[in-house]
């Protein structure tokens, strides 16, 4: 038996392990174990995704919860070490770029367990982003690196990662999107929220660089004020952004925007439906840049850089930073042009997880 521990911890990880768990089913010799670190723990940041995406219950939940980067990472490491001692896996598979990714990766390699990184090679070249540090370090210690887009191959080559460790497999997040699009279509979210297809915008924000700084968040609020005047704008708000609204004294300003609706974070299916019919999506999320690209929906990325350049060069995303004039003028351009036809991107075909399972199961990697 090939024992594989699959780590997940934060919301964007759940869509990435869902297709992997399904792909392992074709390999009777693979014994997959799910470890949830507990980095995200709210019902609608975690449990809801397991239910909607049919992910098996985690075998182990480390229950670490929130904390500073150091405290959270250290706590995950301590608790994950006892899991490795007990289960003695052949592989640890980590996904994405969150603190759970690097924490479990480090513990694995130091105990001599082989490490595979799904979504390897992405680089924003911005080391002030905690995720960039997590990406660089995880890639540096991984035995297998599964890459989602060609830029990842170039980055890993430049960093001197041997070719035989690297596999261009495609995008597991898009596996999940494709597997669930039909189910999402059945969601009544538009009716429930009294929205017309193409008649509203969607906003999400959670990055510290945007939401933790009063001036930057204030600039984004300036833009949203204009944008919500044009179309109703739905803002499913991440818990850290909710905390920041009041901390930074912006709650009243947002409450004054009549057509901006702040709602709780949503489940996968209703959110996918909501995004798919939006006029424009404004976000600082990496995953949503990819999802809007495949949905053919305009995406204004509220960042100065992206680790997912394919969403700009071939997709529907534009980098707009946090400057209100730049955001509003890009928004107006999107409103004038029809939504674009989704591009066909190499290996974003819904089969990335199958390719990963095949490599892991191969005797060469045993
Ligand atoms: C983390 C990831 C980020 C990812 C994002 C998706 C890191 C460094 N960052 O950021 O890359 O894009 O998840 O959401 O790993 N909180 C709750 N309930 C929860 C989870 C969090 O209330 O279920 C609150 C807590 O107050 C916490 C804050 O949100 O302090 C931030 O959570 P944390 O896990 O530290 O990072 P995210 O901002 O979610």
């Amino acid at each position: 038996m090939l024992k594989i521990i699959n780590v997940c911890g934060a919301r964007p990880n759940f869509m990435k392990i869902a297709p992997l768990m399904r792909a392992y089913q074709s390999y009777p010799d693979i014994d997959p174990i799910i470890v949830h670190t507990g980095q995200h723990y709210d019902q609608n940041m975690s449990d809801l995704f397991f239910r909607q995406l049919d992910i098996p219950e985690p075998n182990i939940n480390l229950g670490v919860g929130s904390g500073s980067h150091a405290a959270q990472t250290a706590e995950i490491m301590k608790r994950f070490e006892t899991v490795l001692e007990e289960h003695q896996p052949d592989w640890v598979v980590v996904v994405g770029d969150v603190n759970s990714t690097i924490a479990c990766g480090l513990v694995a390699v130091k105990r001599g367990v082989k490490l595979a990184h799904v979504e390897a090679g992405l680089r924003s070249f911005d080391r002030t982003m905690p995720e960039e540090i997590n990406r660089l370090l995880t890639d540096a210690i991984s035995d297998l690196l599964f890459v989602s887009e060609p830029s990842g191959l170039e980055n890993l080559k430049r960093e001197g990662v041997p070719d035989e460790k690297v596999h261009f497999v495609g995008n597991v997040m898009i596996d999940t999107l494709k597997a669930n699009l039909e189910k999402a279509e059945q969601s009544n979210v538009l009716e429930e929220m009294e929205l017309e297809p193409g008649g509203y915008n969607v906003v999400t924000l959670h990055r510290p660089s945007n939401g933790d700084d009063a001036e930057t968040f204030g600039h984004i609020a300036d833009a949203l004020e204009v944008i919500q005047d044009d179309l109703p704008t739905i803002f499913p708000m991440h818990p850290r952004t909710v905390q920041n609204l009041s901390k930074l004294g912006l709650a009243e300003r947002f409450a004054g925007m009549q057509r901006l609706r702040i709602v709780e974070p949503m489940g996968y299916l209703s959110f996918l439906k909501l995004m798919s019919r939006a006029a424009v999506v404004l976000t600082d999320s990496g995953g949503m840049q990819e999802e809007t690209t495949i949905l053919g929906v305009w995406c204004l990325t509220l960042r100065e850089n992206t680790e997912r350049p394919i969403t700009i060069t071939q997709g529907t995303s534009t980098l707009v930073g946090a400057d209100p004039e730049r955001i509003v003028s890009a928004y107006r351009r999107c409103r004038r042009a029809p939504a674009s036809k989704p591009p066909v991107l190499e290996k974003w075909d819904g089969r990335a997880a199958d390719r990963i399972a095949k490599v892991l199961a191969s005797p060469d990697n045993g």
Side-chain angles (χ1 to χ4, degrees), residues 10-12 39-42 45-46 65-67 69 72 97-100 130-131 134 206-208 238-240 243:
R11 185 169 57 178
Q39 181 175 347
H40 284 176
Y41 44 87
D42 283 357
M45 297 290 284
S46 175
S66 304
H69 284 269
Q72 190 178 56
D97 55 16
V98 302
N99 288 342
S100 301
E131 293 82 359
N134 294 342
H206 71 280
R207 296 214 173 272
H238 187 287
R240 77 173 299 136
Q243 291 165 13

Side-chain angles (χ1 to χ4, degrees), residues 312-323:
I312 311 277
T313 54
Q314 295 190 49
T316 51
S317 170
T318 308
L319 292 176
V320 291
D323 170 45

Side-chain angles (χ1 to χ4, degrees), residues 84-114:
L84 289 192
E85 264 168 40
E86 189 186 332
H87 289 270
Q88 305 279 336
D90 299 291
W91 281 95
V92 167
V93 173
V94 294
V95 299
D97 55 16
V98 302
N99 288 342
S100 301
T101 311
I102 180 59
C104 295
L106 258 180
V107 177
V109 294
K110 291 215 173 172
R111 289 192 63 89
V113 180
K114 284 177 292 183

Side-chain angles (χ1 to χ4, degrees), residues 299-310:
C299 176
L300 300 181
T301 298
L302 302 163
R303 293 173 50 187
E304 295 296 347
N305 50 55
T306 178
E307 62 288 336
R308 293 162 163 88
I310 203 166

